[in-house]
């Protein structure tokens, strides 16, 4: 404080009741409840008293308008949703930390419809009796996968846990050593087995497992053969594994079902759009898998969910398991899933309507021209301290899908003009503080903004972030 101002004293601070009656507080009182405004004001006044005690209270700070602004800013900050929409420019399309698959526009309407009223979630409208929530999606899943029956739980980790608990609790499950995967977020096949009360019998070696490895392990305690899609890594070189068809035959010969954890489990062959091949759920069922578990929010492009499809008698056992009740999904998930599965009925429109597929199939020239279009706004906001260039880069599918494959992409590469060290990290951090945060990736002493996941419809909002940034 400048020396020519006499600091205000605590006694000069207006009372809470007087302030609340000031016209300056009217806007806050229309936007927030009296309880909220009073609490925020109490904190603001306490801060003023602390300043007064230190002899640092500027008289200007006691003007009601000034206090009202502080209070309003505090309330805005406090009531802002903690879950925010962000721009995913990391280059990882299915980013688990950023919520995986963005839901298609058609799905938003379906979820909105069921939000605020009663729905026939578990009510059979034809007979007026209790129904089954799996009925919302079972017919679609049967049609899309060729399986006899289907059930839905919270995520694929839950699906695998439930499958094991229902079919192999206190019994043995045979799995190849080459398939004992760990998925991000602490999903490890051996740990899930233990949680389900199943005994894991590892067979074969890391790189090679043969049919005889499985048959040698089968004994009267065996309940299940299991195959896990090695979705986030690839073993190459001198390798051998037993395919679903062959393993299903081993199972049939010994009266044992074969369960497959397919991970991302696509419902359509991605190769038709020039994307790398990922095994589909239909192929796994056709090859002889008795049960297939997969995620709803990976390549399927829907909400977080775990789907199990397969033999009707086994699905029935799974549905009767008490864990199913604990792991079941709610109406929001089912409404979203039903709508996403509905999009698969029009396969020729899928690459346009299913957001995840639209993002994965964007062409490099299209993304490159977008990069060149957006470059001037970004360069203008960053000024001379940084140099922005439209540059080729590579995206990845993410979430363990198609791990070894990279998708050529394009984006903005931001370099520091002068090598002052903290510059790039500070820039990356301030982009995370924008009203709609921009999440990029720092590598090779540059900030990479991969534009694959920036849809043209979102460009205006993206540009608006940068003008906010420039100020
Ligand atoms: C992703 C994945 C899981 C876990 O699925 P969530 O839906 O994340 O619970 C399990 N197994 C495999 C093979 C996976 O790829």
């Amino acid at each position: 404080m400048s020396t020519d101002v006499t600091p205000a004293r605590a006694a000069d601070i207006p009372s809470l009741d007087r302030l609340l009656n000031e016209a300056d507080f009217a806007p806050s009182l229309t936007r927030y409840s009296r309880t909220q405004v009073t609490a925020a004001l109490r904190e603001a006044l306490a801060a003023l008293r602390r300043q007064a005690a230190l002899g640092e209270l500027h008289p200007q700070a006691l003007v009601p308008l000034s206090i009202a602004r502080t209070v309003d800013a505090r309330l805005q900050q406090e009531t802002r949703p903690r879950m925010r929409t962000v721009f995913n420019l990391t280059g990882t399309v299915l980013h688990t930390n950023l919520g995986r698959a963005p839901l298609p526009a058609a799905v938003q309407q379906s979820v909105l419809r069921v939000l605020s009223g009663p729905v026939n979630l578990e009510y059979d409208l034809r007979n007026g009796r209790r129904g089954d929530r799996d009925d919302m999606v079972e017919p679609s899943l049967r049609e899309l996968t060729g399986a006899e029956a289907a059930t839905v739980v919270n995520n694929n980790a839950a699906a695998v846990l439930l499958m094991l608990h229902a079919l192999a609790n206190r019994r043995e499950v045979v799995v190849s050593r080459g398939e004992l995967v760990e998925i991000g977020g602490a999903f490890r096949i051996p740990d899930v087995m233990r949680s389900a009360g199943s005994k894991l019998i590892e067979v074969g070696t890391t790189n090679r497992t043969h049919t005889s490895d499985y048959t040698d392990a089968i004994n009267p305690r065996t309940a299940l053969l299991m195959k896990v899609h090695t979705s986030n890594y690839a073993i190459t070189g001198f390798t051998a594994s037993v395919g679903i068809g062959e393993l299903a035959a081993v199972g049939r010969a010994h009266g044992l079902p074969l369960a497959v954890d397919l991970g991302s489990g696509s419902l359509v062959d991605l190769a038709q759009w020039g994307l790398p091949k990922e095994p589909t759920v239909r192929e796994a069922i056709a090859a002889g898998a008795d049960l297939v578990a997969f995620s709803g929010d990976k390549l399927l492009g829907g909400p977080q969910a775990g789907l199990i499809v397969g033999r009707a008698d086994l699905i029935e056992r799974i549905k009767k398991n008490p864990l199913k009740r604990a792991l079941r999904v709610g109406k929001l998930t089912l409404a979203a899933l039903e709508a996403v599965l509905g999009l698969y009925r029009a396969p020729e429109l899928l690459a346009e309507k299913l957001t995840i597929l639209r993002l994965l199939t964007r062409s490099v020239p299209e993304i490159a021209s977008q990069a060149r279009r957006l470059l001037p706004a970004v360069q203008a906001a960053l000024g001379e301290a940084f140099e922005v260039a439209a540059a080729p880069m590579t995206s990845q599918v993410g979430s363990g899908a198609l791990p070894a494959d990279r998708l050529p992409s394009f984006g903005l590469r931001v370099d520091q003009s002068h090598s002052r060290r903290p510059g790039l990290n500070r820039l990356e951090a301030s982009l995370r503080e924008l009203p709609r945060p921009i999440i990029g990736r720092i590598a090779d002493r540059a900030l990479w903004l991969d534009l694959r996941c920036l849809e043209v419809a979102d460009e205006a909002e993206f540009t608006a972030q940068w003008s906010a940034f420039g100020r």
Side-chain angles (χ1 to χ4, degrees):
M1 194 182 323
S2 55
T3 44
D4 52 347
V5 180
T6 314
R9 293 164 304 131
D12 302 328
I13 300 174
S15 78
L16 187 135
D17 289 332
R18 209 198 95 199
L19 283 168
L20 282 179
N21 286 324
E22 292 279 352
D24 296 321
F25 278 83
S28 297
L29 283 166
T30 53
R31 273 199 295 275
Y32 309 99
S33 78
R34 199 168 185 86
T35 312
Q36 288 174 294
V37 177
T38 307
L41 178 54
R42 211 166 258 138
E43 287 182 40
L45 293 178
L48 293 175
R49 277 194 289 277
R50 282 194 295 276
Q51 285 174 6
L54 296 169
E56 288 173 2
L57 181 57
H58 199 293
Q60 206 58 40
L62 299 184
V63 175
L65 181 61
S66 158
I67 302 177
R69 284 200 178 128
T70 308
V71 166
D72 204 78
R74 187 188 290 267
L75 286 167
Q76 250 183 57
Q77 182 70 27
E78 277 173 5
T79 52
R80 191 170 71 171
R82 296 188 70 87
M83 194 185 293
R84 318 247 305 273
T85 47
V86 304
F87 288 103
N88 172 14
L89 306 191
T90 60
T92 302
V93 182
L94 285 169
H95 200 302
T96 297
N97 304 149
L98 300 181
R100 289 197 186 154
L103 293 178
V107 174
Q108 296 172 11
Q109 295 311 313
S110 307
V111 175
L112 277 181
R113 264 191 311 108
V114 305
L115 271 179
S116 47
V119 293
N120 62 328
L121 178 64
E122 277 188 0
Y123 186 77
D124 181 341
L125 288 172
R126 184 134 34 111
N127 302 311
R129 280 202 295 266
R130 189 201 163 104
D132 180 344
R133 63 182 68 204
D134 285 336
D135 289 350
M136 301 294 152
V137 291
E138 193 183 43
S140 298
L141 284 169
R142 278 208 311 251
E143 190 184 311
L144 289 163
T145 65
E148 290 172 5
T151 186
V152 188
V153 287
N154 244 309
N155 49 43
N156 189 35
V160 175
L161 176 71
L162 176 60
M163 208 160 63
L164 290 169
H165 193 266
L167 304 180
N169 183 240
R170 297 157 176 265
R171 308 274 305 273
E172 293 181 3
V173 182
V174 188
V175 187
S176 160
R177 284 203 171 85
E179 299 172 1
L180 298 177
V181 306
E182 171 178 318
I183 311 291
F187 175 92
R188 295 173 134 194
I189 289 293
D191 297 343
V192 177
M193 289 267 179
R194 204 169 310 123
S195 306
S198 307
K199 183 165 184 208
L200 168 64
I201 304 297
E202 306 174 21
V203 298
T205 61
T206 306
N207 57 327
R208 290 173 71 82
T209 303
H210 309 281
T211 308
S212 58
D213 293 322
Y214 288 95
T215 45
D216 289 352
I218 292 172
N219 68 68
R221 292 177 305 276
T222 310
L224 193 66
L225 303 180
M226 185 157 151
K227 197 163 169 58
V228 183
H229 183 47
T230 55
S231 51
N232 56 1
Y233 68 101
I235 297 180
T236 56
F238 185 55
T239 64
S241 62
V242 181
I244 292 175
E246 235 176 302
L247 200 49
V250 172
R252 276 195 300 277
H254 293 83
L256 294 170
L258 168 64
V260 179
D261 172 8
L262 209 50
S264 60
S266 187
L267 291 178
V268 285
D269 185 1
L270 297 174
Q272 62 186 299
W273 291 283
L275 290 165
K277 172 90 189 149
E278 175 87 347
T280 69
V281 181
R282 180 180 282 281
E283 285 163 357
I285 291 290
D290 296 290
L291 288 171
V292 181
F294 54 104
S295 292
D297 55 352
K298 292 184 181 171
L299 288 174
L300 193 152
Q304 180 188 304
L307 300 97
I308 311 174
V309 302
R311 256 168 56 191
D313 60 324
L314 299 178
I315 294 287
E316 199 48 44
R317 268 171 76 186
I318 288 172
K319 287 170 75 132
K320 289 203 174 108
N321 188 277
L323 267 186
K324 165 65 165 80
R325 171 66 181 78
L327 301 172
R328 75 183 186 190
V329 293
K331 61 181 176 180
L332 300 189
T333 299
L334 282 167
L337 190 57
E338 181 187 9
V340 172
L341 293 174
L343 295 179
Y344 282 86
R345 294 231 181 80
E348 56 278 87
L349 299 179
L350 206 56
E352 179 196 327
K353 304 265 183 184
L354 187 69
T355 312
I356 190 66
L357 195 54
R358 190 167 67 232
L359 296 176
L360 289 173
T361 54
R362 287 186 72 194
S363 77
V364 175
E366 183 201 335
I367 309 173
S369 75
Q370 181 183 34
R372 285 188 282 271
R373 189 160 67 235
L374 294 171
L375 189 149
V378 177
Q379 181 66 76
L382 291 180
E384 290 178 351
F386 297 96
E387 212 167 296
V388 188
M393 42 194 83
T394 43
S395 314
Q396 55 182 19
V397 179
S399 285
L402 308 164
D405 295 292
R406 294 283 186 273
L407 303 170
S409 185
F410 228 87
L412 297 170
R413 182 196 152 111
V414 182
D415 284 278
Q416 257 177 278
S417 308
H418 322 284
S419 53
R420 271 187 302 108
R421 271 312 283 145
L424 215 50
N425 290 320
R426 197 172 300 160
L427 171 64
E428 187 266 343
S430 50
L431 294 182
R432 281 188 271 115
E433 282 165 19
L434 287 167
R436 181 164 169 184
I438 295 173
I439 318 287
R441 174 171 59 94
I442 289 185
D444 301 330
R445 301 162 93 212
L447 174 64
W448 302 77
L449 304 175
D450 187 323
L451 295 179
R452 172 171 296 280
C453 294
L454 178 65
E455 298 228 65
V456 175
D458 282 337
E459 268 185 29
E461 202 185 339
F462 179 75
T463 316
Q465 305 303 304
W466 289 99
S467 32
F469 185 81
R471 280 198 300 273

